[in-house]
Each structure stands twice: as structure tokens, then as C-alpha cells.
Amino acid sequence: MALKHYLVRFFQLPLGEALNRAVGVLARAFTRFLRLLQARFVPTYTVRGGGDVLARRIFCPPDFAATLAENPGHRIREICDHLSPWLTHENISYALRARGRNVNLANRKRSEEALKTLSPDYVRVDWQRDPVSGYLWNNRCWHSSIRYGNRYGVDIKLPWEFARGHHLVELAALATDETRDLCWRAFRDEVTDFYANNPPGFGVQWACTMDVGIRVANWLLAQDLFKSQGCIDETFDALLTDSIWDHGQFIADNLEWNKDLRGNHYFANICGLLFTALYLPENEKTNSWLKFGTSQLIGELSLQFNPDCSNFESSTAYHALVLEMAVYTCALLWGTDHARLVRAGKTDAKAWVGYPGTRANTETWPPEGELPAWLGEKLMGAVQFMAASAFADGTPFLIGDNDSGRFVRIGTTPFDPLTQAREFENYLQERTKSSFVSTLLAQLGAPRGVQMLLHNGKQHSFPDFGLYRFCGNGYSVWVRCGDVGQNGFGGHAHNDQLSVLAEFDGLAFFIDPGTATYTRDQSLRNRNRSTAYHNTLFVSGVEQNGWHSGAMGLFNLTDPGNWEVEQVSPARFGGRVARQSMHHSRQIRCEERGFAIHDWSSGCATASLFLHPAVDVKLEGGTFWLVRQDVVVIGFFIGASEVNIETTEWSPRYGVVQATRVIRVRTSGNLVTEINLGERATPSAIGTS
């Protein structure tokens, strides 16, 4: 299916472009073959013999540790034991289960030298294993030959996520006078362990350049925080510096660039390359990386953020991720000495780039090394979008895919977009040339409890993303109607046209079921992005968009339906979607204490309202009562042939599935749903369950 799909796309291209692409594919394949052949016999490690040291760029905020965890000592111990709570229901161990494979012969000498520097009591990490399924990838396999998505129950994101090293920044931030030696030793040991067991280019940890970029940024931030506390080890510093060179060169050689589509992966490549260029000593190569990376960052910010400042991938989670990468990397550039940028501008950034379309040019390089003023404005607009697309109570607001990815993650509290929006807003408003990510890190460790950036009585439209928010007295309702994103590729979009989400008195009631997984379970992946799993109408069994079967169809939508926003006013929304024999029109009328939804469809349909797990529900005929804490919502249906409450699942974050309930309504074509905020009462008083 994959080969057939690509052949069809190839023969649809004009002859000249098809030939150019064919030549490009063959050239890149030949280059990869030569690199693989060389790697079989020549060590892929960089050994510079010390000398170069990483520059210190930030300071450690005072009393940082006290704001990160209720029990810092316990959290430090979890990190030292290689326990991670991310992408699973509970902490899982990444500790080595059995003796690991030796690395390939050409790299073995350097690997064994590094292993000798580990602390005697250090427990090594199982870098190549999915700790849930137990599946083990081969660390002697060249990165481009790593396969994934072809085995049920196996998820490559688990080893990737751990190796991003978020917990190492947290470890550095948690260090106090009493725990600093323990934290510093744990950081040195884990980085050395990675270095020794993952030679550059080999194994699962080099299979995705995005993860390489995120890892190098986190390593550098963690090292920076430790150095600011006086932690120095010349042997380790030399090893880390060598590995940073390896990371930077790998990114430069394996950019996830595509002429037709490049998204968050390529953005992470650029951010990782810029962190590498600005932490390593200045020379011709790092200046060329700096020039290329800065030019690409400017170009991708313009490309990947729509005119309304939303991200072009039609996913609120990926909007937050790319925004986070952009803010940290722009902060790094804003804090860079202007003379360094000027010197970088005089270097040739083209010589090392393998893809002609990625080459820097004078149009995107900032004049006199000054970043364009619109960068800050674009980021501030993106912050406002993140604030507008968030529940006030911190419940995950999910439109499109969510893999729970972060660029820098500090602490174990769930991601709160409103809090991060406030932190980013404060930084963007107050930044100076001398400030760097220390400002951001200090704010990320600050006490929670920010206030809403948006207020009742406002309507917010993001037409490029396809998200519309309406606010009344005590409620907000969002409507999704827009493009599938990624220039029509739809890799992270769901079949959620005309879907609604809502909160009442600051509490989420109607939610999106989330993503659950990507490659671990293809049927679960497709179920959670289907029309029936969103708060819209599933008409005549026809999906709003199609997708290919198998692994190749997991990250694209095909044969998309036609959608149109017909009306947007302060209190009204009208839109429609059609595909094949399916037609669905929806109008929403906002009133003082609630809203009404009017649906028209071309045939028999099922409407869904997915509820927050904390919502209690009572159903009598066509009337329902919803209670969360003491907030009561009352609604009824007109035109329903059958109404049921079903048990279902939602995924608040990637890899986690929890029980919740959904109201399913069958209708023959026309349906009216009235939903209003009631008087406060307890669940027992209403008789909900």
C-alpha cells in the first residue's frame, strides 16, 4: 500500500519535477549507503581530546528546588532509579533488565573507555527497550534501518521520550547543598551511559532527528544549571562536549526536511541545531550552523504559524509544543551577543547542507544580525491562541493529536496551557537583551494559579486553525471547523469538524477523547481520530475524512470532506461539512446561560457528547442533568429517536486511557440540543450517578 501510494503521487507530478525528485531520492539513498558503509569500519564518535568546553550561558534561579516538588528528595531518588511517569499510567522503570548488547565493533573501544568512568553503584539504562511491551531494538542497527509501527503493542515513543532527558534538567534544578553531589553524579552517569551504549547513528535513539534535537537542548540546559552551581569534571566535560558535536553533526546530516511538508519535527531539528551552535565554541562550523539555523527558524515561524498565529498542524497540543520550542530558542538568540550573530552572517551556510531547498539565503538572514520585530509579535499571538484554547480548570483541551511532547519539562505536574501562556506572556513582555532562559526556567518553577487571560462576554475566532470560542455568563463553548492542516496532509488532525467542547463555571464538561496512542495499536489510533469519537454527528456511517489502512495511514488523512464556515457573529456560529453522500450542517446559538445546537443531516446519524470523567449524569427521556462538584448543567433533545449513556474511554495524555461516559443520540436527520447552566446543587440532590 505504501509503495502504491507513493507511486501514484510520483506519477501525478509534472515530468520535470518528477525527474528532479527521483534524482534527489537516489542521491540521498546513495549518500546514506556511503555513510552506513563508512560507519561499519570507522568509529562514528567524535573525539576532540578535551580543549573545547561548553560555554556557560545562564544562572541557576535561587530557591528553585522548593517550587518543583512537594518531596524533592523522593523525586531525586525516582530520577536516579530511572523511573518515569510520562506516557504511561504510572512510574515505569527504564533500568537495564539484562546485560546489554555490545555496540558495533568500530565504536567498541571508545564505548568501553566511557563505561569505565561510570560510578560503581550506577544502574545502567535499557536505552533500546520499550519498557511496557519489553520489545528490544538493536543498538548495532543503523538509524535509517530501524523499523517501528509494525508490531502490535510496541511503542517506540517510550524509549524516545525517556532519552529526551527532560528529567535531567529537573534534576539540576532540584539540586541543593545537601543533594548536589548526588544529582551531579547521577547526571554524569546517565549521560555517559547514553554515550557509551548509543554510538552516533546506531540504534533506536538516533532513528528520529527530532528527538536528537530535543535531547541535546535538555542536556545543555542541565549541564548549564550544574555548572552555575560549581559542578565541574574535566573528564566528563570533554565527553559531553564530544557528544554535543556528534548531536549537532547528526542533525545537520539528517534534517527532516521536505519540500511539500515540514512540521514540528523539522522545527525541533532547527532548535536543537541552534542550541548546539550557541553552546559549542565559536568556529566556522558552529557559525554556519548558527546562520543556517537562524534563517530557517525565521522562515519556519512564518510558515508553520498561520496569520491568526495558530500552528498549521491543526492540533492544539502541537501548537503548544512548537510554541515552546520557538520561545526557548528565540530566547537563546535574543540573549546572544550581537557581534556573534554578525560574524555568523558572514559565513557560508550552504556548504554542508544536503538538501538544496533548505539552504540559507540573504533574504531570511536578519539584516545586521537583528532578529525581525515580528518574531515577538508572532509568538505573543501564538501565546494568546494557547490561552484561548484552554479549559480554566487545567483539563487537557484537545483538538487533533496529542503525544504529550514537550521541549523542556520541569516537574511532574500535568501540562497546564494557561499557566504556560502566562509564563511566556510575562517573558515576552519583559525580556531584555541580557535575559535568557533563566527567566523562563524561574517562571516555570513559580507557584501555580494564574488567572484566565480571557473573560466572559468575548468571542474569539481563529479561522486559519478553524476554532471559534464563544463566552456567556458562566460558560464557554468552542466549535471546530477548519482545515485538516499540514498543507492538506492532515497528519495530526482528527475527524472533528463541527465538534464542540464546553466548560461551565470554569469546569470542563464536554471534552475531546484525545489520542491514546500512535503506532502501538493502529485500531485504537484510528478509533480516537474517527468522527464517532468527537462531539459532532456521525452521518450514515461515512467518515468526514478518509485514511489509508495500515501503518502508512496513521499520519495522514485522504479524500478530505468539504467544510465551510457559513456564519460567525458574537453569539452565533454556522458551518457545514460534506463528503460522498454525507452532509451535516450545524448552527449554534449562544444565550445568557447556555447555548443551543441545531443539526441537519442527510440521513440517520448519531450525535455524541463526551463527558469529563468527574461529571455525574442523569437521564430521563430526552432530558439530562450533568453535575460536577456543585455545578449543574441541564439539557434536552428535540428530534431524538434514542438517547443512551455509554461507558467509553478518554486519553488525557498520550499512553493513558481512563474511563468516562458519552451521551449518544440517534436521530433521523434533524436534532436540537439545548444546554443551560442550572442552579448549584450536589449530585445527590439531583440524583445523578
Side-chain angles (χ1 to χ4, degrees):
M1 177 62 78
L3 179 60
K4 177 182 177 181
H5 172 71
Y6 288 117
L7 286 175
V8 168
R9 292 184 62 187
F10 176 80
F11 285 113
Q12 288 175 343
L13 296 172
L15 179 60
E17 184 176 354
L19 290 175
N20 286 336
R21 292 201 181 191
V23 170
V25 169
L26 292 174
R28 290 193 294 273
F30 183 66
T31 300
R32 286 195 296 268
F33 172 75
L34 291 179
R35 289 175 181 166
L36 172 59
L37 189 64
Q38 182 184 31
R40 295 292 184 190
F41 304 101
V42 180
T44 56
Y45 285 113
T46 293
V47 182
R48 305 180 73 88
D52 293 331
V53 293
L54 298 174
R56 172 184 164 188
R57 302 194 59 88
I58 64 175
F59 60 90
C60 184
D63 300 323
F64 198 28
T67 65
L68 290 178
E70 295 181 1
N71 188 340
H74 176 71
R75 180 62 188 141
I76 290 172
R77 177 48 56 191
E78 286 184 335
I79 295 173
C80 292
D81 291 341
H82 309 313
L83 295 174
S84 174
W86 302 112
L87 308 192
T88 57
H89 284 276
E90 57 188 1
N91 269 350
I92 54 175
S93 174
Y94 285 82
L96 191 66
R97 299 183 183 181
R99 180 176 175 83
R101 295 189 181 100
N102 290 326
V103 302
N104 65 305
L105 184 61
N107 286 304
R108 193 166 300 167
K109 179 180 178 180
R110 179 59 177 159
S111 171
E112 291 174 349
E113 290 173 351
L115 289 173
K116 293 176 182 178
T117 67
L118 292 174
S119 301
D121 59 345
Y122 173 74
V123 177
R124 288 161 59 181
V125 172
D126 221 347
W127 296 107
Q128 305 295 322
R129 191 183 300 275
D130 169 2
V132 174
S133 69
Y135 182 79
L136 185 68
W137 281 271
N138 188 348
N139 66 345
R140 301 182 194 176
C141 184
W142 189 242
H143 65 92
S144 59
S145 299
I146 293 288
R147 295 187 64 196
Y148 58 92
N150 58 321
R151 291 177 179 268
Y152 176 80
V154 177
D155 197 341
I156 199 171
K157 280 189 62 63
L158 293 176
W160 279 353
E161 181 71 17
F162 184 82
R164 287 181 175 186
H166 297 305
H167 56 284
L168 298 178
V169 181
E170 183 183 0
L171 188 67
L174 285 169
T176 63
D177 291 340
E178 294 76 19
T179 61
R180 186 165 295 115
D181 288 344
L182 172 64
C183 294
W184 172 232
R185 179 160 55 92
F187 171 68
R188 296 196 321 263
D189 282 340
E190 187 168 315
V191 171
T192 302
D193 183 9
F194 181 94
Y195 178 86
N197 290 285
N198 299 276
F202 286 93
V204 73
Q205 299 301 350
W206 299 93
C208 178
T209 311
M210 175 183 192
D211 291 272
V212 178
I214 294 176
R215 176 169 59 249
V216 73
N218 279 269
W219 279 12
L220 288 167
L221 289 174
Q223 168 74 349
D224 207 336
L225 286 169
F226 276 121
K227 289 185 70 173
S228 69
Q229 301 172 62
C231 299
I232 298 175
D233 182 315
E234 292 184 1
T235 301
F236 172 73
D237 285 351
L239 179 147
L240 178 61
T241 301
D242 286 347
S243 189
I244 300 305
W245 279 108
D246 290 334
H247 279 69
Q249 191 61 58
F250 184 89
I251 294 170
D253 290 340
N254 296 276
L255 293 167
E256 294 173 280
W257 181 90
N258 183 280
K259 179 181 179 181
D260 298 323
L261 172 66
R262 50 194 183 275
N264 64 89
H265 278 242
Y266 184 62
F267 204 91
N269 301 169
I270 295 306
C271 294
L273 191 65
L274 283 170
F275 266 78
T276 303
L278 288 169
Y279 268 91
L280 287 172
E282 181 181 356
N283 59 29
E284 184 176 0
K285 175 169 283 190
T286 56
N287 274 341
S288 72
W289 289 353
L290 175 56
K291 180 178 181 179
F292 172 78
T294 303
S295 300
Q296 293 298 298
L297 181 75
I298 294 170
E300 293 305 306
L301 277 171
S302 178
L303 174 73
Q304 296 193 31
F305 284 90
N306 298 313
D308 63 11
C309 296
S310 63
N311 185 264
F312 87 129
E313 297 199 58
S314 295
S315 160
T316 52
Y318 281 98
H319 173 97
L321 172 61
V322 178
L323 172 60
E324 185 180 21
M325 292 191 286
V327 171
Y328 274 92
T329 308
C330 285
L332 178 63
L333 288 168
W334 282 323
T336 298
D337 180 58
H338 178 259
R340 172 77 192 278
L341 295 177
V342 172
R343 290 193 296 272
K346 298 177 181 179
T347 62
D348 181 6
K350 300 179 181 180
W352 59 274
V353 179
Y355 295 92
T358 66
R359 291 176 179 170
N361 54 64
T362 55
E363 294 179 0
T364 55
W365 178 253
E368 303 300 325
E370 292 286 349
L371 297 179
W374 62 260
L375 279 184
E377 298 170 0
K378 176 74 78 171
L379 294 178
M380 185 64 79
V383 167
Q384 292 298 324
F385 174 85
M386 185 163 67
S389 56
F391 288 121
D393 63 356
T395 296
F397 186 97
L398 305 174
I399 299 291
D401 276 344
N402 172 34
D403 75 344
S404 299
R406 300 290 303 279
F407 190 59
V408 177
R409 175 187 284 132
I410 298 180
T412 57
T413 56
F415 174 68
D416 182 355
L418 279 178
T419 299
Q420 184 152 77
R422 176 62 70 188
E423 292 158 354
F424 284 175
E425 182 183 52
N426 290 341
Y427 170 74
L428 291 169
Q429 289 177 342
E430 300 172 7
R431 68 178 177 84
T432 64
K433 287 293 290 185
S434 61
S435 65
F436 177 49
V437 296
S438 56
T439 308
L440 288 171
L441 292 173
Q443 291 166 352
L444 288 172
R448 303 296 180 181
V450 301
Q451 296 183 354
M452 288 279 291
L453 298 183
L454 304 164
H455 306 283
N456 287 340
K458 290 188 176 182
Q459 181 265 322
H460 300 265
S461 297
F462 299 94
D464 299 312
F465 185 95
L467 185 64
Y468 302 85
R469 176 177 180 170
F470 302 86
C471 301
N473 184 11
Y475 76 91
S476 291
V477 58
W478 292 261
V479 190
R480 159 77 173 136
C481 186
D483 193 79
V484 297
Q486 294 185 337
N487 302 328
F489 197 75
H492 288 305
H494 288 189
N495 288 354
D496 55 6
Q497 300 289 7
L498 305 181
S499 181
V500 298
L501 290 83
E503 68 179 9
F504 294 87
D505 277 354
L507 299 176
F509 273 72
F510 302 136
I511 60 173
D512 185 287
T515 299
T517 190
Y518 284 161
T519 61
R520 176 177 61 84
D521 185 334
Q522 295 181 13
S523 62
L524 181 60
R525 158 67 168 159
N526 289 330
R527 184 200 71 175
N528 275 45
R529 61 176 178 156
S530 67
T531 308
Y533 250 66
H534 294 86
N535 298 331
T536 185
L537 253 63
F538 186 37
V539 182
S540 302
V542 178
E543 289 287 346
Q544 294 178 349
N545 305 283
W547 57 69
H548 291 294
S549 61
M552 73 151 293
L554 296 179
F555 296 101
N556 73 319
L557 294 175
T558 62
D559 185 20
N562 297 313
W563 58 271
E564 181 182 1
V565 175
E566 299 175 316
Q567 178 186 15
V568 178
S569 68
R572 287 182 179 272
F573 172 87
R576 67 174 186 86
V577 60
R579 178 174 178 260
Q580 298 175 5
S581 61
M582 179 273 293
H583 298 271
H584 172 207
S585 295
R586 170 166 281 186
Q587 291 188 358
I588 298 176
R589 183 184 72 253
C590 296
E591 300 170 344
E592 180 66 15
R593 298 277 289 176
F595 55 93
I597 303 174
H598 294 247
D599 290 305
W600 296 267
S601 62
S602 56
C604 294
T606 300
S608 301
L609 289 174
F610 284 82
L611 305 177
H612 189 283
V615 172
D616 294 301
V617 58
K618 174 184 177 181
L619 177 64
E620 288 186 1
T623 302
F624 60 87
W625 290 261
L626 308 176
V627 184
R628 184 177 175 193
Q629 297 178 15
D630 61 348
V631 179
V632 179
V633 173
I634 305 171
F636 61 87
F637 303 104
I638 301 174
S641 58
E642 183 180 355
V643 183
N644 294 300
I645 300 172
E646 300 176 4
T647 299
T648 187
E649 297 173 333
W650 86 305
S651 174
R653 54 189 175 91
Y654 186 92
V656 175
V657 176
Q658 299 174 356
T660 189
R661 282 175 287 192
V662 58
I663 302 176
R664 301 280 195 191
V665 186
R666 273 71 178 181
T667 178
S668 59
N670 297 331
L671 179 68
V672 177
T673 308
E674 291 273 359
I675 302 171
N676 290 282
L677 184 63
E679 299 297 327
R680 290 183 176 270
T682 63
S684 59
I686 300 297
T688 57
S689 59

